[in-house]
Amino acid sequence: MSVDWLLRARERIRRGTPPGPPATSTPWTPGNSGTPRGESGPSPPPGAPGPLGLLEELLREPGATDVLVNGPDEVWVDGSAGLIRSALRFADADAVRALAECLVARTGRRLDDAHPWVDARLPDGLRLHVVLPPLAPDGPCLCLRVAARRVFDLDALIAAGTLTPRLAAVCAALVRCRVPFVVTGGTATGKTTLLASLLSLVPEAERVVLVEDLGELRPQHPHVVRLEARPANVEGAGGVGLGDLVRQALRMRPDRLVVGEVRGAEVVDLLAALNTGHAGGCSTVHANRAADVPARFEALGTAAGLSREAVHSQLVAGLRVVVHLERVRSRRWVSEVGVLRRSGDGVVTVPALQADLAGEHRGGGYAELAALLDGTLPP
């Protein structure tokens, strides 16, 4: 990889021109498998493949959600067919690093040996994550997540198998009755997609304030205010975290306060907000099972300085329902809706409605869920 090309690429990015891979005499064809190691990559025609280099074609594939680069010889695509290895290869590790540095430059962030990882959002909405060697000993790791091309309504989620009609009615009732809830699940289970769909059901007369680390939620709603965290600059100054933004959001007259993902000390401010009259708030959190949600909040809250008792007391008073998603290969679905209930000196998640391939099953929390939803569920 030529140093001169990298410098030219950075300058073109600064001017807003896609860099493309280094030019050679090798013909370029869409969807080719790259070039042998040690050789320069092919040169695309004007306008293609664009600022994402050789990955552009993969990201254009229908249904593609993630493109994952594990060094120069491994490129994977995740989508409607599950995780599939691509035939694409980079020339060498320097080619992967050059592409990563070009993309990071578009975000105004820093990527070098002193700061060898970046989590950022590109101007076109793609979420970018990069880890450089020696932290990634097999070569630079590059992850690109495609922003949702559209907001799915509940009918579309039912058609996709994410929700059953009854679970869709339950989720819609959570929004209508202003019940505070949390959407949980593992990585890439569809938490953001489901939450955006539900926020689109908020009445138009209400003001929705979103607080996110990286802006991903795009609800179809006429009155949405977005706040995004800001990392510290090269000197380590100027950083604004989610906790700061939650506190600012409380002063912005929110009818619905939404934290895109709780994963740190901001849990303290979210629980405080939900316990001070801000009904209808919601968030997402990573959890393996709905039953693990109290433990996840306990871990986050105690790490932020709250006692275990304080976390559980605020959790059961501020959040009432857990909507849990699962993923097996390419299938994503809401597997459980549970209610949070005090039990002894802590909080537990009691299943109210569960769904699997065999159908739906009512749990011990069904009557309590029905009461929260003003009795709109069948007995």
mmCIF file of all heavy atoms in Angstrom, residues 14 17 21 32 41 63 68 84 137 140 187-188 201 213 234 240 274 277 284 293 300 306 320 324 327 335 359:
data_model
loop_
_atom_site.group_PDB
_atom_site.id
_atom_site.type_symbol
_atom_site.label_atom_id
_atom_site.label_comp_id
_atom_site.label_asym_id
_atom_site.label_seq_id
_atom_site.Cartn_x
_atom_site.Cartn_y
_atom_site.Cartn_z
ATOM 1 N N ARG A 14 -10.912 14.802 2.760
ATOM 2 C CA ARG A 14 -11.087 16.137 3.322
ATOM 3 C C ARG A 14 -11.899 17.020 2.379
ATOM 4 O O ARG A 14 -12.703 17.840 2.806
ATOM 5 C CB ARG A 14 -9.715 16.765 3.595
ATOM 6 C CG ARG A 14 -9.792 18.100 4.338
ATOM 7 C CD ARG A 14 -8.419 18.710 4.469
ATOM 8 N NE ARG A 14 -7.875 19.083 3.175
ATOM 9 C CZ ARG A 14 -8.209 20.210 2.526
ATOM 10 N NH1 ARG A 14 -9.093 21.034 3.051
ATOM 11 N NH2 ARG A 14 -7.693 20.479 1.349
ATOM 12 N N THR A 17 -14.299 13.868 -1.608
ATOM 13 C CA THR A 17 -14.248 12.981 -2.767
ATOM 14 C C THR A 17 -13.918 11.577 -2.311
ATOM 15 O O THR A 17 -12.972 11.389 -1.543
ATOM 16 C CB THR A 17 -13.155 13.450 -3.754
ATOM 17 O OG1 THR A 17 -13.388 14.809 -4.050
ATOM 18 C CG2 THR A 17 -13.165 12.604 -5.020
ATOM 19 N N PRO A 21 -9.720 2.451 -3.826
ATOM 20 C CA PRO A 21 -8.449 1.791 -3.579
ATOM 21 C C PRO A 21 -7.352 2.326 -4.498
ATOM 22 O O PRO A 21 -7.634 3.049 -5.459
ATOM 23 C CB PRO A 21 -8.764 0.323 -3.860
ATOM 24 C CG PRO A 21 -9.990 0.322 -4.685
ATOM 25 C CD PRO A 21 -10.725 1.596 -4.426
ATOM 26 N N ASN A 32 -15.909 -8.584 -7.436
ATOM 27 C CA ASN A 32 -14.761 -9.456 -7.625
ATOM 28 C C ASN A 32 -14.210 -9.898 -6.282
ATOM 29 O O ASN A 32 -14.610 -9.417 -5.234
ATOM 30 C CB ASN A 32 -13.687 -8.758 -8.475
ATOM 31 C CG ASN A 32 -13.099 -7.541 -7.782
ATOM 32 O OD1 ASN A 32 -13.323 -7.324 -6.598
ATOM 33 N ND2 ASN A 32 -12.363 -6.743 -8.535
ATOM 34 N N GLY A 41 -4.628 -3.303 -5.017
ATOM 35 C CA GLY A 41 -6.003 -3.586 -5.386
ATOM 36 C C GLY A 41 -6.371 -2.949 -6.709
ATOM 37 O O GLY A 41 -5.691 -2.042 -7.199
ATOM 38 N N GLY A 63 -30.799 -7.052 1.992
ATOM 39 C CA GLY A 63 -30.869 -7.741 3.269
ATOM 40 C C GLY A 63 -29.603 -7.704 4.086
ATOM 41 O O GLY A 63 -29.593 -8.175 5.233
ATOM 42 N N LEU A 68 -18.241 -7.687 8.072
ATOM 43 C CA LEU A 68 -17.231 -7.899 9.101
ATOM 44 C C LEU A 68 -15.922 -8.302 8.438
ATOM 45 O O LEU A 68 -15.875 -9.304 7.709
ATOM 46 C CB LEU A 68 -17.684 -8.990 10.070
ATOM 47 C CG LEU A 68 -19.123 -8.865 10.589
ATOM 48 C CD1 LEU A 68 -19.521 -10.109 11.351
ATOM 49 C CD2 LEU A 68 -19.275 -7.618 11.442
ATOM 50 N N ILE A 84 -22.432 -15.294 6.296
ATOM 51 C CA ILE A 84 -21.848 -15.982 5.143
ATOM 52 C C ILE A 84 -20.480 -15.373 4.848
ATOM 53 O O ILE A 84 -20.326 -14.150 4.830
ATOM 54 C CB ILE A 84 -22.754 -15.860 3.905
ATOM 55 C CG1 ILE A 84 -24.106 -16.544 4.172
ATOM 56 C CG2 ILE A 84 -22.084 -16.475 2.680
ATOM 57 C CD1 ILE A 84 -25.086 -16.375 3.045
ATOM 58 N N PRO A 137 -4.334 -9.281 16.545
ATOM 59 C CA PRO A 137 -3.062 -9.794 16.021
ATOM 60 C C PRO A 137 -3.133 -10.360 14.612
ATOM 61 O O PRO A 137 -2.106 -10.461 13.942
ATOM 62 C CB PRO A 137 -2.692 -10.895 17.028
ATOM 63 C CG PRO A 137 -3.974 -11.269 17.696
ATOM 64 C CD PRO A 137 -4.791 -10.020 17.733
ATOM 65 N N PRO A 140 -6.110 -5.813 11.027
ATOM 66 C CA PRO A 140 -7.163 -4.878 11.442
ATOM 67 C C PRO A 140 -8.552 -5.501 11.298
ATOM 68 O O PRO A 140 -8.851 -6.174 10.320
ATOM 69 C CB PRO A 140 -6.987 -3.701 10.473
ATOM 70 C CG PRO A 140 -5.573 -3.800 10.003
ATOM 71 C CD PRO A 140 -5.263 -5.256 9.954
ATOM 72 N N THR A 187 -26.685 -9.164 20.872
ATOM 73 C CA THR A 187 -26.280 -8.335 19.743
ATOM 74 C C THR A 187 -27.021 -8.760 18.477
ATOM 75 O O THR A 187 -27.188 -9.943 18.210
ATOM 76 C CB THR A 187 -24.759 -8.479 19.526
ATOM 77 O OG1 THR A 187 -24.080 -8.043 20.706
ATOM 78 C CG2 THR A 187 -24.301 -7.650 18.350
ATOM 79 N N ALA A 188 -27.486 -7.776 17.723
ATOM 80 C CA ALA A 188 -28.125 -7.996 16.418
ATOM 81 C C ALA A 188 -29.394 -8.833 16.524
ATOM 82 O O ALA A 188 -29.743 -9.568 15.609
ATOM 83 C CB ALA A 188 -27.149 -8.647 15.440
ATOM 84 N N LEU A 201 -45.434 4.717 17.291
ATOM 85 C CA LEU A 201 -46.825 4.660 17.737
ATOM 86 C C LEU A 201 -47.158 5.727 18.778
ATOM 87 O O LEU A 201 -48.319 5.873 19.159
ATOM 88 C CB LEU A 201 -47.125 3.280 18.335
ATOM 89 C CG LEU A 201 -46.917 2.068 17.424
ATOM 90 C CD1 LEU A 201 -47.184 0.780 18.198
ATOM 91 C CD2 LEU A 201 -47.800 2.146 16.190
ATOM 92 N N ASP A 213 -25.786 7.010 22.248
ATOM 93 C CA ASP A 213 -24.343 7.088 22.072
ATOM 94 C C ASP A 213 -24.025 7.347 20.600
ATOM 95 O O ASP A 213 -23.266 8.251 20.253
ATOM 96 C CB ASP A 213 -23.706 5.785 22.547
ATOM 97 C CG ASP A 213 -22.192 5.869 22.592
ATOM 98 O OD1 ASP A 213 -21.671 6.992 22.700
ATOM 99 O OD2 ASP A 213 -21.533 4.823 22.523
ATOM 100 N N VAL A 234 -8.587 14.767 20.868
ATOM 101 C CA VAL A 234 -7.242 14.205 20.974
ATOM 102 C C VAL A 234 -6.584 14.565 22.300
ATOM 103 O O VAL A 234 -5.817 13.789 22.863
ATOM 104 C CB VAL A 234 -6.386 14.695 19.783
ATOM 105 C CG1 VAL A 234 -4.958 14.198 19.920
ATOM 106 C CG2 VAL A 234 -6.983 14.217 18.471
ATOM 107 N N VAL A 240 -18.728 14.269 26.156
ATOM 108 C CA VAL A 240 -20.061 14.381 26.747
ATOM 109 C C VAL A 240 -20.680 12.990 26.753
ATOM 110 O O VAL A 240 -20.882 12.394 25.687
ATOM 111 C CB VAL A 240 -20.962 15.357 25.963
ATOM 112 C CG1 VAL A 240 -22.342 15.429 26.601
ATOM 113 C CG2 VAL A 240 -20.328 16.737 25.892
ATOM 114 N N LEU A 274 -37.057 7.916 35.556
ATOM 115 C CA LEU A 274 -38.266 7.099 35.525
ATOM 116 C C LEU A 274 -38.984 7.089 36.870
ATOM 117 O O LEU A 274 -40.153 6.691 36.939
ATOM 118 C CB LEU A 274 -37.912 5.670 35.107
ATOM 119 C CG LEU A 274 -37.376 5.522 33.683
ATOM 120 C CD1 LEU A 274 -36.976 4.077 33.415
ATOM 121 C CD2 LEU A 274 -38.401 5.991 32.657
ATOM 122 N N GLY A 277 -41.666 10.971 37.721
ATOM 123 C CA GLY A 277 -42.821 11.430 36.978
ATOM 124 C C GLY A 277 -42.724 11.371 35.473
ATOM 125 O O GLY A 277 -43.617 11.860 34.785
ATOM 126 N N THR A 284 -33.085 0.226 25.772
ATOM 127 C CA THR A 284 -32.670 -1.131 25.461
ATOM 128 C C THR A 284 -31.470 -1.475 26.327
ATOM 129 O O THR A 284 -30.729 -0.590 26.773
ATOM 130 C CB THR A 284 -32.280 -1.308 23.972
ATOM 131 O OG1 THR A 284 -31.018 -0.688 23.733
ATOM 132 C CG2 THR A 284 -33.334 -0.722 23.044
ATOM 133 N N VAL A 293 -32.380 -9.578 33.428
ATOM 134 C CA VAL A 293 -32.429 -8.114 33.388
ATOM 135 C C VAL A 293 -32.168 -7.479 34.755
ATOM 136 O O VAL A 293 -31.382 -6.531 34.862
ATOM 137 C CB VAL A 293 -33.773 -7.644 32.790
ATOM 138 C CG1 VAL A 293 -33.957 -6.136 32.967
ATOM 139 C CG2 VAL A 293 -33.835 -8.011 31.309
ATOM 140 N N LEU A 300 -24.756 -2.781 36.453
ATOM 141 C CA LEU A 300 -24.500 -1.429 35.958
ATOM 142 C C LEU A 300 -24.636 -0.394 37.070
ATOM 143 O O LEU A 300 -23.835 0.537 37.176
ATOM 144 C CB LEU A 300 -25.463 -1.103 34.816
ATOM 145 C CG LEU A 300 -25.315 -1.930 33.533
ATOM 146 C CD1 LEU A 300 -26.464 -1.630 32.574
ATOM 147 C CD2 LEU A 300 -23.977 -1.651 32.869
ATOM 148 N N LEU A 306 -24.314 3.046 43.024
ATOM 149 C CA LEU A 306 -25.540 2.779 43.778
ATOM 150 C C LEU A 306 -25.392 1.493 44.576
ATOM 151 O O LEU A 306 -24.662 0.577 44.179
ATOM 152 C CB LEU A 306 -26.739 2.652 42.836
ATOM 153 C CG LEU A 306 -27.210 3.901 42.091
ATOM 154 C CD1 LEU A 306 -28.384 3.552 41.185
ATOM 155 C CD2 LEU A 306 -27.615 4.990 43.073
ATOM 156 N N ARG A 320 -41.420 -1.403 34.435
ATOM 157 C CA ARG A 320 -42.437 -2.386 34.762
ATOM 158 C C ARG A 320 -42.400 -3.619 33.871
ATOM 159 O O ARG A 320 -42.812 -4.699 34.291
ATOM 160 C CB ARG A 320 -43.838 -1.739 34.682
ATOM 161 C CG ARG A 320 -44.024 -0.501 35.541
ATOM 162 C CD ARG A 320 -43.649 -0.750 37.012
ATOM 163 N NE ARG A 320 -44.368 -1.877 37.579
ATOM 164 C CZ ARG A 320 -45.577 -1.792 38.136
ATOM 165 N NH1 ARG A 320 -46.203 -0.614 38.177
ATOM 166 N NH2 ARG A 320 -46.156 -2.855 38.646
ATOM 167 N N HIS A 324 -38.297 -9.120 25.480
ATOM 168 C CA HIS A 324 -37.029 -9.786 25.174
ATOM 169 C C HIS A 324 -37.050 -10.401 23.780
ATOM 170 O O HIS A 324 -38.022 -11.055 23.384
ATOM 171 C CB HIS A 324 -36.748 -10.882 26.199
ATOM 172 C CG HIS A 324 -35.398 -11.511 26.041
ATOM 173 N ND1 HIS A 324 -34.234 -10.867 26.370
ATOM 174 C CD2 HIS A 324 -35.030 -12.726 25.555
ATOM 175 C CE1 HIS A 324 -33.202 -11.637 26.117
ATOM 176 N NE2 HIS A 324 -33.658 -12.777 25.609
ATOM 177 N N ARG A 327 -32.377 -14.515 18.879
ATOM 178 C CA ARG A 327 -31.963 -14.737 17.496
ATOM 179 C C ARG A 327 -31.345 -16.117 17.375
ATOM 180 O O ARG A 327 -30.478 -16.495 18.166
ATOM 181 C CB ARG A 327 -30.951 -13.674 17.054
ATOM 182 C CG ARG A 327 -30.423 -13.937 15.644
ATOM 183 C CD ARG A 327 -29.402 -12.907 15.218
ATOM 184 N NE ARG A 327 -28.896 -13.212 13.868
ATOM 185 C CZ ARG A 327 -28.010 -12.482 13.235
ATOM 186 N NH1 ARG A 327 -27.520 -11.387 13.799
ATOM 187 N NH2 ARG A 327 -27.600 -12.818 12.023
ATOM 188 N N SER A 335 -39.398 -13.297 22.111
ATOM 189 C CA SER A 335 -39.630 -14.593 22.745
ATOM 190 C C SER A 335 -40.347 -14.479 24.086
ATOM 191 O O SER A 335 -40.906 -15.476 24.568
ATOM 192 C CB SER A 335 -38.301 -15.322 22.956
ATOM 193 O OG SER A 335 -37.461 -14.578 23.833
ATOM 194 N N GLY A 359 -45.749 -22.113 19.665
ATOM 195 C CA GLY A 359 -46.863 -21.192 19.865
ATOM 196 C C GLY A 359 -46.629 -20.272 21.047
ATOM 197 O O GLY A 359 -45.498 -20.086 21.496
#
